Amino acid sequence: MARVTVTGQDMYTLVERLYPLCRSITGDGVRATLDIVGEYLPLQVHEVPTGTQVLDWTVPQEWNIRDAYIADTTGNRVVDLAASSLHVLGYSVPVSRTMPLSELRKHLHTLPEHPGWVPYRTSYYKPDWGFCLAQETLDAMPDGDYEVRVDSTLADGHLTYAEHVVPGQVPDEVIVSCHVCHPSLANDNLAGIAVATFLARALAERTPYYTYRFLFAPGTIGAITWLARNKERVERVKHGLVLACAGDRGHLTYKQSRRGDAEIDRVMGHVLAASERPHRVTGFTPYGYDERQFCSPGFDLGVGSLTRTPYAGYPEYHTSADDLDFVSPEAMADTLAVCREAFAVLDRNRRYLNLSPYGEPQLGRRGLYDALGGRSDTKQAQMAMLWVLSLSDGEHSLLDVAERSGLPFDTVAGAADALHGAGLIKA
Amino acid sequence: MARVTVTGQDMYTLVERLYPLCRSITGDGVRATLDIVGEYLPLQVHEVPTGTQVLDWTVPQEWNIRDAYIADTTGNRVVDLAASSLHVLGYSVPVSRTMPLSELRKHLHTLPEHPGWVPYRTSYYKPDWGFCLAQETLDAMPDGDYEVRVDSTLADGHLTYAEHVVPGQVPDEVIVSCHVCHPSLANDNLAGIAVATFLARALAERTPYYTYRFLFAPGTIGAITWLARNKERVERVKHGLVLACAGDRGHLTYKQSRRGDAEIDRVMGHVLAASERPHRVTGFTPYGYDERQFCSPGFDLGVGSLTRTPYAGYPEYHTSADDLDFVSPEAMADTLAVCREAFAVLDRNRRYLNLSPYGEPQLGRRGLYDALGGRSDTKQAQMAMLWVLSLSDGEHSLLDVAERSGLPFDTVAGAADALHGAGLIKA
Amino acid sequence: MARVTVTGQDMYTLVERLYPLCRSITGDGVRATLDIVGEYLPLQVHEVPTGTQVLDWTVPQEWNIRDAYIADTTGNRVVDLAASSLHVLGYSVPVSRTMPLSELRKHLHTLPEHPGWVPYRTSYYKPDWGFCLAQETLDAMPDGDYEVRVDSTLADGHLTYAEHVVPGQVPDEVIVSCHVCHPSLANDNLAGIAVATFLARALAERTPYYTYRFLFAPGTIGAITWLARNKERVERVKHGLVLACAGDRGHLTYKQSRRGDAEIDRVMGHVLAASERPHRVTGFTPYGYDERQFCSPGFDLGVGSLTRTPYAGYPEYHTSADDLDFVSPEAMADTLAVCREAFAVLDRNRRYLNLSPYGEPQLGRRGLYDALGGRSDTKQAQMAMLWVLSLSDGEHSLLDVAERSGLPFDTVAGAADALHGAGLIKA
C-alpha cells in the first residue's frame, strides 16, 4: 500500500513537471517532454523529416512558438501564452498586427457554457491563427484596437517520437502507446504518459514473457508515422494498449479492440471483473485515441484502450480545467496497478496440451493430490489441476480455464506450472 | 403527411372496390380482381391450365359460381350468396335439392362463439358443398324442408395469377407477394393487395437498385405454380416479402424468413426498431401465408412476411367481421410507409472495401473533415465516415455499420457515398 | 402410476439388500454386490489382475476385510466394523496392537460439525490404516490404552466390474455407468445402482434403437480400466449417462458433458424442461463421478451425469447419515422415469431429409391433412408435419424441430413417422 502511494506520488510529480510545457504534434515542446521522461526511462528518440510520406499522410512542418499574446492599447497582455500553453491555437501561423476587437473575434475561441475555462483548439492542417481564452476574459475586453502577436515558426523540421523497449523472453510484442502532443492538459494526457513511464519501469523488474514496446508519440500522425516505419514489425505485435486520461477520479474504462475478442480484450475484461473495481468495458469505436490507427482494418491489431473517464466524457475535457487538481496520485496508482495485473495475466496466459489425455492421470503418485479420499473439501489447487487437464486440448487458454472454472487466474496458472513440472502438459 | 393520407384513402378505395367480388383460388373472381388492380398498375396475367403439374401439386379445376342460396318453403332466401361471398363454401360442387334442415345441417358452417358472424370455409381438394352463415341465422331457421341451390361449375379451365415488375439497376430481384384468393375479407387480404399495388407505384418513382417483382396470386397453389414455372428465376430472387393482413389497427408484425438472418430479416428488424413504432418480430413458422412456399427447404429464400395483426391473431380473422370497417386508410398508409423505408434501406445496403485500410486516410485534405481540431462535438456525418472506413473490410454491410455505430442508416449510407466519391472505398 | 410405485419399492428393496455390504474399489464386497444385481439382470463379470496397466494407472492390490475394531481394556468394542462398514478407513492395512488413545487419535476420523455421524474415508494409494467414528463416540472414550485390530488383507488379486448389454437395432452404443465401490452409503451410490438395474430391465421391454451398455464398476479406477480395455469400442459410444445420488428427496440435477452441446445434453435438458419438474442443469466440471474419465479430453465422450442433489451438495454426503432413510422409493422412481423419457427421446431423435423440399408437398391427397380449409385451429399433428418438412434439410434433428416449434417431442416424432410412412422424408 505504502509502495503504491509512493509510486502514485512519483507519477504525480512527473505530471507536474510536464504540465507547463507547450506541446504540439511537432516541435520543441515534444522534445522537452521526452527529455524529462528520459530521466525516468532510457528512450530511443526518432526524428522524422517534414514531408516524409507516412501511410496516407505527410509529416507536416514543424511548429515552434516563443511568445503569443493579445495586448490592449496600454500594452497590458489580456491573453498571454506565458500564463497557459492553451491560449494559443495549436499550429498558429505567425501574426503581428493591431486590429479592432470586432475583427479579432473570429480568431478567438471560448467556452460560453464554462465562462471561466480556456478551451484547447488546434489547426494542424489548415493554416490559421487564433487564441483560446475564457469567456469571462473576452467579456471584460472593451471594444477597440488590440495588439495581436503570435511569435511562431512553421517550417521544415521533424516530427519527434520516442520508444522504450522492455525485452522479454520472446520477440512477440505488446505495444503500449500514449500521446505526447497535448499542451497543459493533465489528465489528457500527462497522466497517461506518467502511467506508461512507471509501467515500463515495473515491467523491467523481472524479464517479462513478451517484449513490451512503449511508444511516446504525438496523436494520430505519430502513431501513423510509427506504423508506416514499422510495417514489418507490426506482425510481431500480438497485443497492445493505448493509455490516456489515466489520472482522473472516475472509474476505469476499457475500450475493446476492433476485434472485440482479442486476447487483450479478454484479459482486461477478466482482470477488471476479478478485481471487483467498479468499471466499464465498452465496444470499439473508430474515434478516441490511437487505437483508431492500430485497429484500422488493414492492421486490425489486438489493441484496446484503457482510460479512467473516457474520451470527451467529462466537461473538463480539452479545457484548462483538466489541470493538476483534476488528476490524483491515487487514481494514477490505481490505473498502473490494473495495467500490471493485466500484463501479469497476459504474460502467463498459454494454451497447453494435456500429454495424458485419456482418463485422468494419476496425480496422487506424482505427489500432486491428497492421499486421503472421501473428503468433499477438495482444495482449489487440486481443482485447478483437474480443470487445466480437462481443458488443455490446445483450444483453451489458461484464461479460458479460469473463466470457465471460476478459479482465480493465479491459481490456474500455478496449477499449470505444477502440471508442466510433472511433465503432464506441454505448452 | 397529407400525401400519406391521400395514399391511405386511395388504398382504401381500392379495397372497397375489390370487397364484393367472390374470389377463390381459380375463376372469374380472381380475373375481375386483377382487372381492377390492372387499372392502377400494368399487369402480366398468366393463365395456367387445369391439370398442369406444379411441383408436388396439380392445378385444379376452375371453379365459378353464379348463384347460391338456401330458401325456405315460402321461397324466402335465408342465406344468399348475393348478400355475401362468404356464404358459400369455397369450391362447392353444384347442388339443387330440397332437404330437411336436419340433413342440411351437416353442410352448414357457423361460429357459435360469435353468433352474428359468418365464417369463411373452403373445400378445394375434396368435392363437397356447403354454406357458411351466422349462428343467429341458423337458430332462427325452423325445422322443415329447405331448397338448397349452388349454381356453380367446376370444370377444366385455368389458374390465374399476375405479375408486375419494377425494373431496377441490377437483375437481382426482390419479390413482393400477396394472395388474391380470399372472398369478402378486407384485411385478409384486400389490404395486402392494396399496399402491394401502391408500393409498386411508389418504387417506380425512381429506378430502384433491385428489380422488384410483384406477384398477385392465389394462396398456396398460386405461389407453388409461380415457383414451378420460375425455377431458374428463383436464383435471382435475393429478398422477398409476403404482404397480408396489412390494414387492421393493430401493430405491425414482421415474421422472419426460415433462415432467420436473411438480409430482409435484418433490414425489417432494423427499420421497425429505428422507426420506434410499437411492433413485433417473430421467428419463422411453416404456417401462415406464402412464405411457407418461398421458404420451403429446397428454395429457402430470404422471404419474410409483413402483417399488422398476424395470421389467426384476431377474432375477426376468416369471418365476415373482417369487413371494410375492420381496416383503415391510416393503417394501410403506415404499412406502406414501412415497406418503403425497408426497401430504401435494402436498396442502399452494400458491403464496401476500404481502399486505404492502413491507418485512417487523411479526410481533412479531401474536404471530408473539419479543419479545427480539439472539439468534442464531432458531427454524425464524420463519425459515420470513420465507422464506414473501419468496418469496410468486405465483411460488413452498411446495415452492420448502422447497427454497430448506432447511427441512422441514412447517415451511414450518405457517408459511404461521400467516401465512394472520394475514391476511398469501393463496392 | 401404481406401476411406478411398485418399481420404486423394488429399487428400494435392492438398496436395502446392498446396504450392509462392505464395498471398496476391489474385493469381495464388490463381488457380493454384483451377485445381488445379477439376480435382477444377467451380468458379464470381469476380473482384472492386480498390476495390470490401465491408461495412466495400475490396478491395485485387492483389499478384503474380515474384522476391524477398537476395544477398550475391558474388551468392549467401542468401534466395530460389524456395526457399520464405514467404521474402517477404506484400504486399511492390517494392524493388531494396543496403544494409548493419544497415539490412536491420529488414525481416527470424525466430523466435529456433525458429532453423531460417521464419516467415509479411504486411503487407496497410500498404505495407511484408520477408523472412522462419530465425534460423540470419540468424546466418550477415556484416555488410556485400546486394542486396535484391522483384520484385512491387501494382496495381489483382481479388480472386479460387470457389464450388461441391452442389444439395440444399431451397434452404436449408449453407456450407462454407476459406481459400485462405496460401502454403506445409500444415496451415493446404491440408489444409482438400483436405478441403473431397473432402467436396463425397462429398456429390454422392446428392442431399443441404440445398444445400451450398463457398466457397474468401482469409481475412477473401474471406469479407467473399462476405457483402457475398450479403446476400440469407445468409438461406438455415441452417448452416455453416469448415474449417482439417484435417490434423495432433492430435485434432479443434470450435469452436462464436457462438450456442453452433446446430444445427450440437449435431450436431458429438453426432457427435464418439458417435464416441468423443478430441476437444475449445470455445466461440466472435471470433478464428481466417472464422467471425469469419459469426458477426459482424449475421449471427450458425450456423457453427462444425472443425480438428484449433486456430488457433495448435501451435508449427509459421505457420512453415515446417507442411510436408508435418506433415500425414498418415490425419488428413485422419479429418477428412473426421467431416464426412460430421455432415452425414449434419444432413441427416436433423427435427422431426416425432406424428399419433396420444393414448396410444401400436398399432404391432403396423402390423407395427412384436413380437407376443410379456412379454419384457424390447425391441429398440432398437422403443424408438426409442417415443421418436420420445413426443418428436414439434413441439419436439424427432431429434437431441434421440437424445440423450435414448441411442440412436444412425441408429436414431432409421430409426425415424422407419418411422413416417413408416406415416403416424404428419409432418415
Side-chain angles (χ1 to χ4, degrees), chain B residues 95-393:
Chain B
V95 63
S96 181
R97 290 172 51 193
T98 298
M99 61 176 70
L101 180 57
S102 56
E103 187 183 342
L104 176 57
R105 273 187 190 275
K106 65 172 182 279
H107 293 277
L108 301 184
H109 304 278
T110 64
L111 290 170
E113 69 275 27
H114 294 291
W117 297 356
V118 178
Y120 163 54
R121 294 286 181 272
T122 65
S123 186
Y124 298 138
Y125 298 101
K126 181 185 161 204
D128 197 2
W129 63 267
F131 288 87
C132 301
L133 64 161
Q135 181 68 40
E136 291 170 355
T137 306
L138 177 57
D139 293 344
M141 288 165 67
D143 284 340
D145 281 352
Y146 287 88
E147 182 194 354
V148 175
R149 181 162 166 80
V150 174
D151 178 15
S152 66
T153 48
L154 196 54
D156 286 358
H158 295 81
L159 175 144
T160 312
Y161 72 86
E163 293 177 281
H164 170 82
V165 174
V166 181
Q169 299 167 34
V170 295
D172 290 346
E173 291 195 2
V174 180
I175 196 162
V176 180
S177 158
C178 59
H179 61 281
V180 297
C181 53
H182 281 26
S184 302
L185 299 169
N187 195 39
D188 177 18
N189 188 37
L190 303 180
I193 297 169
V195 169
T197 301
F198 282 81
L199 178 58
R201 288 161 60 116
L203 283 166
E205 287 172 10
R206 66 179 64 83
T207 304
Y209 177 74
Y210 289 109
T211 293
Y212 286 78
R213 178 174 303 268
F214 287 77
L215 181 59
F216 299 86
T220 306
I221 187 68
I224 282 169
T225 299
W226 186 87
L227 283 164
R229 302 176 93 217
N230 291 275
K231 275 198 159 178
E232 73 301 326
R233 182 183 305 281
V234 163
E235 287 178 24
R236 273 196 244 160
V237 175
K238 302 304 177 192
H239 322 281
L241 197 60
V242 172
L243 287 170
C245 299
D248 67 86
R249 289 167 179 83
H251 300 155
L252 283 161
T253 299
Y254 176 70
K255 170 179 163 182
Q256 294 173 328
S257 76
R258 179 179 178 279
R259 296 187 206 159
D261 62 352
E263 191 170 339
I264 189 73
D265 299 326
R266 304 224 19 244
V267 166
M268 287 299 314
H270 177 84
V271 165
L272 285 167
S275 79
E276 299 186 356
R277 280 172 175 85
H279 70 279
R280 282 207 316 160
V281 174
T282 66
F284 181 75
T285 61
Y287 209 64
Y289 297 102
D290 282 334
E291 65 277 9
R292 294 163 67 166
Q293 311 308 329
F294 298 116
C295 295
S296 58
F299 295 115
D300 201 19
L301 296 176
V303 174
S305 169
L306 185 68
T307 59
R308 302 195 70 86
T309 306
Y311 179 88
Y314 46 98
E316 297 85 352
Y317 176 81
H318 278 194
T319 78
S320 58
D322 180 0
D323 62 10
L324 290 170
D325 289 336
F326 190 66
V327 299
S328 78
E330 292 73 22
M332 287 188 275
D334 184 61
T335 307
L336 177 64
V338 164
C339 291
R340 294 187 65 175
E341 288 170 40
F343 288 165
V345 170
L346 189 67
D347 249 31
R348 295 183 83 182
N349 193 31
R350 298 272 189 296
R351 281 178 168 74
Y352 287 96
L353 195 67
N354 181 343
L355 298 172
S356 184
Y358 294 99
E360 284 174 23
Q362 196 180 2
L363 298 177
R365 72 172 147 87
R366 295 175 175 90
L368 299 175
Y369 214 77
D370 266 1
L372 190 69
R375 294 169 55 173
S376 56
D377 59 339
T378 305
K379 296 186 199 89
Q380 271 200 337
Q382 294 187 11
M383 281 305 299
M385 279 190 276
L386 294 177
W387 274 108
V388 171
L389 287 167
S390 179
L391 293 179
S392 287
D393 53 6

Side-chain angles (χ1 to χ4, degrees), chain A residues 17 24 43 95 101 142 230 249 276 288 304 313 316 321 357 371 377 402-403:
Chain A
R17 292 180 66 191
S24 187
L43 293 181
V95 64
L101 181 58
N230 291 275
R249 290 165 178 84
E276 298 185 358
E316 298 85 353
D377 59 338
E403 297 209 327

Side-chain angles (χ1 to χ4, degrees), chain A residues 397-413:
Chain A
S397 69
L398 295 185
L399 183 57
D400 292 326
V401 176
E403 297 209 327
R404 191 147 155 192
S405 67
L407 295 167
F409 181 87
D410 266 1
T411 305
V412 169

